[in-house]
Amino acid sequence: MFLPFFDHTPAAPKICGITTAEDALGCIEAGAGALGFNFYPPSPRSIPADGDLFWIVKLKADYPDVAFVAVVVNPDEALLASLGRTACFDAIQFHGDESPGFCAAAGSRFPQWIKALRIRSKLDLAPALAFETPWLLLDAAVPGTYGGSGHAVDWDLAAQFVAAHPEKRVILAGGLNPSNVTEAASKVHPHAVDVASGVESSPGVKDPEKVRDFIAAALA
């Protein structure tokens, strides 16, 4: 199925860490190209995978052109099976220490899969080409976290990778907010940008004004 987020560059931003239908609707109405739903329990933005996910299923049915992404960290079979049964996720995003082989096998159960890389130096980008997907998300490497830290990636490093590997569709994350996303996008030229904490009033709660400002700035 044609989805603008995966087929257009630059794509409308991905807003990650959605925890309620109200926040999801606000982001969609503001022009988000993709929504990220976090299934990593230690995160303040996590959704219980064994809970009622019907609200996500219904939203996907109502807004089929918006990409829905399940964000996971070192997922087990039970989680993968639970997410697969919903049949509402257009992609799964591996944000942990998953190997290329694991991602290829588990990712094949979804229409698309994304691998997130936490980077501080060129050495952190060395494994990137081992992942058999065009979709790479570059996030900041912060000890003890798997993303959502609010720390920025080295934009110059990210830009060098994007320029050297046009076959990859890079999604830029890490410390983005309404005041810096225009500069980040102009320097890096990513496929899309991704934000969670940069558009929140508190962890897991989106600020509608920040969301609107972020999306407008990202597409400026």
Side-chain angles (χ1 to χ4, degrees):
M1 178 181 177
F2 173 85
L3 280 175
F5 181 78
F6 292 112
D7 292 297
H8 291 170
T9 300
K14 174 172 172 275
I15 310 298
C16 206
I18 301 295
T19 58
T20 67
E22 291 76 17
D23 278 358
L25 282 170
C27 293
I28 291 170
E29 291 169 357
L35 301 181
F37 301 87
N38 190 314
F39 294 96
Y40 176 53
S43 170
R45 303 171 185 90
S46 177
I47 299 169
D50 57 356
D52 181 9
L53 301 182
F54 179 74
W55 63 276
I56 302 177
V57 175
K58 184 178 185 306
L59 276 169
K60 181 58 187 176
D62 292 341
Y63 298 94
D65 291 339
V66 178
F68 280 27
V69 181
V71 180
V72 298
V73 173
N74 305 324
D76 59 17
E77 173 57 29
L79 175 56
L80 292 170
S82 177
L83 296 176
R85 282 194 296 269
T86 69
C88 70
F89 293 108
D90 304 292
I92 187 166
Q93 177 178 312
F94 300 105
H95 221 296
D97 307 306
E98 304 90 358
S99 69
F102 178 89
C103 289
S108 68
R109 299 159 70 164
F110 297 83
Q112 304 281 355
W113 62 273
I114 301 165
K115 176 56 184 164
L117 299 170
R118 303 183 300 281
I119 63 170
R120 276 178 299 198
S121 69
K122 286 186 177 180
L123 288 176
D124 297 318
L125 284 166
L129 302 184
F131 291 94
E132 298 176 0
T133 178
W135 311 106
L136 297 176
L137 183 143
L138 302 186
D139 201 356
V142 177
T145 72
Y146 283 107
S149 67
H151 290 256
V153 171
D154 182 329
W155 295 343
D156 290 332
L157 187 61
Q160 292 169 20
F161 182 84
V162 168
H165 299 287
E167 76 280 10
K168 294 297 186 182
R169 302 287 187 91
V170 169
I171 302 167
L172 182 66
L176 298 178
N177 57 59
S179 66
N180 67 12
V181 67
T182 301
E183 181 183 1
S186 67
K187 283 188 175 182
V188 178
H189 300 291
H191 169 75
V193 293
D194 179 291
V195 67
S197 62
V199 293
E200 290 180 338
S201 56
S202 61
V205 180
K206 301 305 182 224
D207 181 307
E209 183 176 356
K210 289 181 180 179
V211 169
R212 290 191 296 270
D213 289 350
F214 181 88
I215 293 174
L219 299 177

